[in-house]
Amino acid sequence: MAKNDEHIQQAVLTGWFTSMLPTEQLKYRQATIRDALSNAKLIQELYQLSDTTILQVIDEGWGLLMGSASYQVSSKANLIKIFLQAIEKIQAQAANNWQSTAFKHFFQRLAQTFSQEKLKQMYQVIASLGDYSPSYAFSTNLFDGLQGKMSELDYYTKQTRATQFFKGVQMQLSTNFVSFVIGDRDDNSSQALGRYENRAMWGLATEVSNTFNELRHFFNELRAQLAFMQGVINLKQALPENTPLSFAEYSLEIKIVDLRNVVLLLNHPARDVVGNSFTSNRKPLWIISGANQGGKTTTLRSLGQAQLMGQSGMFVAAQSFNCNKFKQVVTHFKREEDTQLNTGKLAEELQRMQRIIANLQQPALILMNESFSSTNEHEGSIINSQIMAGLVNSGVTLIAVTHQYEFSKMFASYSKITPLYFRAERQADGQRSFKIIPGQPRETSYGLDIFNRFFAPKTNEKTTGDDIEESN
């Protein structure tokens, strides 16, 4: 999705792991994503424009933390000009046939804030500030002790001010201006004049800096929003043809049709990736068991992927995806041994589960993959039964992949909740269909099928007498 772009990566991760949004906001975002997918080329251009503008401002304004107030004014005025030029380019895309409320409101607000008349005025002000020695004037009043108080800056040049207020008056009025000259080697006077100028420019420098910061914040936020859309577009373009895609619907009932694993889709044709369908019947506990290498863990990952994608407002790799919204989506998968030998494998699993429970926020979805399988089946079943019962009774929705047959029998003694059982399908010849179907757990996971696949003789191979003699 990111294509090595750190801004897209950050935007997607932020979108996936943002706190649960209201349904209205998610529908609003879904409509925006649909609009972005329909205008993929324009979104790419807008994203590149926002990113290029920010980089240009950073490149040209790297030394702005230092310098006098007058330097700050002139330098940041030039950077504001870069932002305004970029805004004009963005406004040129308003004529496109945008369908979503988000894009319509965005371009409407942009047109109101930066109308042609307002942009013209802004450019005039910037032009008067852009030079290091601008021709603007300050008004002041003198008090006792020749102390002055600077008033508001006059953005017009002296010549423009004179011609505006004294039309028809001869140019000899310019002789009424009082001026003085500082000697070339009068450093003290030059420094004093610089301090006065800095003092006089301080208020203006503050206003210009505030304007610059507002525009910079606007472009940073714009880039972040467009980065998320660009990431979704990148994913859509990377998926194979005929991939089922849909936008999530939100309810307490989970109904999923033809859910595919996105990672597999990125590496295989859509026809080679098996889809699975589920209906929760509002049961908060799913237990998936069945044959080894039957697709259980892959399906569990698919459910986690789809939940995060659906809750962020983007599409899901399924024909339809109706789900609940969760504040947290948490995983507890088995890990390799601790290479530092600080804890045993079972202790590490228990510690991770303790941290999950301590930081859990409802409503939550927990995905468990062969948890507590590092000990024997009886002890693992007892641990699983007690922990899962406590989590489900506290309101957690839990989907677990397990090989522990005893666990499914033991769970009933710890909770009155009836689990929803699924099983990885095994065909009569021992082959895996990678379909997850409703079904009670079985005592075997058919590990012998895997042995036969790699070590059993092929059915078309014949054993001869010579082979027997050699084996002896």
Side-chain angles (χ1 to χ4, degrees), residues 67-75 129 131-132 134 136 197-198 201 205:
S68 63
S70 58
Y71 174 75
Q72 295 280 331
V73 168
S74 60
S75 299
L129 302 177
D131 298 328
Y132 185 72
Y136 44 67
E197 181 184 17
N198 206 44
M201 296 284 290

Side-chain angles (χ1 to χ4, degrees), residues 89-124:
K89 294 178 181 178
I90 295 173
Q91 286 181 318
Q93 305 296 343
N96 187 64
N97 188 26
W98 301 101
Q99 299 296 320
S100 63
T101 303
F103 277 108
K104 289 180 179 179
H105 285 179
F106 170 73
F107 284 108
Q108 287 173 2
R109 292 195 302 269
L110 209 62
Q112 293 172 359
T113 306
F114 300 97
S115 64
Q116 291 299 316
E117 181 63 28
K118 291 180 180 178
L119 280 172
K120 183 179 178 180
Q121 294 176 358
M122 291 177 188
Y123 280 128
Q124 288 177 349

Side-chain angles (χ1 to χ4, degrees), residues 280-300:
S280 71
N281 297 321
R282 297 199 177 188
K283 292 186 177 180
L285 175 61
W286 300 11
I287 297 177
I288 304 175
S289 61
N292 284 316
Q293 296 188 357
K296 302 185 299 296
T297 300
T298 300
T299 301
L300 189 66

Side-chain angles (χ1 to χ4, degrees), residues 207-322:
E207 294 296 327
V208 173
S209 295
N210 290 340
T211 302
F212 168 78
N213 291 333
E214 288 291 333
L215 288 170
R216 181 175 59 181
H217 175 75
F218 167 78
F219 272 88
N220 284 331
E221 184 65 24
L222 178 63
R223 180 175 64 179
Q225 297 288 342
L226 292 171
F228 181 80
M229 298 178 202
Q230 186 61 50
V232 176
I233 292 170
N234 291 343
L235 178 60
K236 172 68 166 55
Q237 293 174 344
L239 291 172
E241 294 183 1
N242 302 320
T243 298
L245 298 177
S246 61
F247 284 86
E249 298 290 335
Y250 307 101
S251 68
L252 297 177
E253 177 73 11
I254 299 177
K255 292 182 179 180
I256 305 170
V257 178
D258 197 18
L259 175 66
R260 313 286 182 96
N261 186 285
V262 175
V263 176
L264 292 181
L265 287 168
L266 292 173
N267 296 279
H268 301 279
R271 66 177 181 274
D272 295 340
V273 180
V274 177
N276 283 290
S277 302
F278 303 92
T279 302
S280 71
N281 297 321
R282 297 199 177 188
K283 292 186 177 180
L285 175 61
W286 300 11
I287 297 177
I288 304 175
S289 61
N292 284 316
Q293 296 188 357
K296 302 185 299 296
T297 300
T298 300
T299 301
L300 189 66
R301 290 193 177 103
S302 303
L303 290 166
Q305 291 169 2
Q307 187 66 42
L308 291 175
M309 294 167 69
Q311 285 193 185
S312 69
M314 62 182 295
F315 58 75
V316 176
Q319 287 188 14
S320 65
F321 189 82
N322 194 313

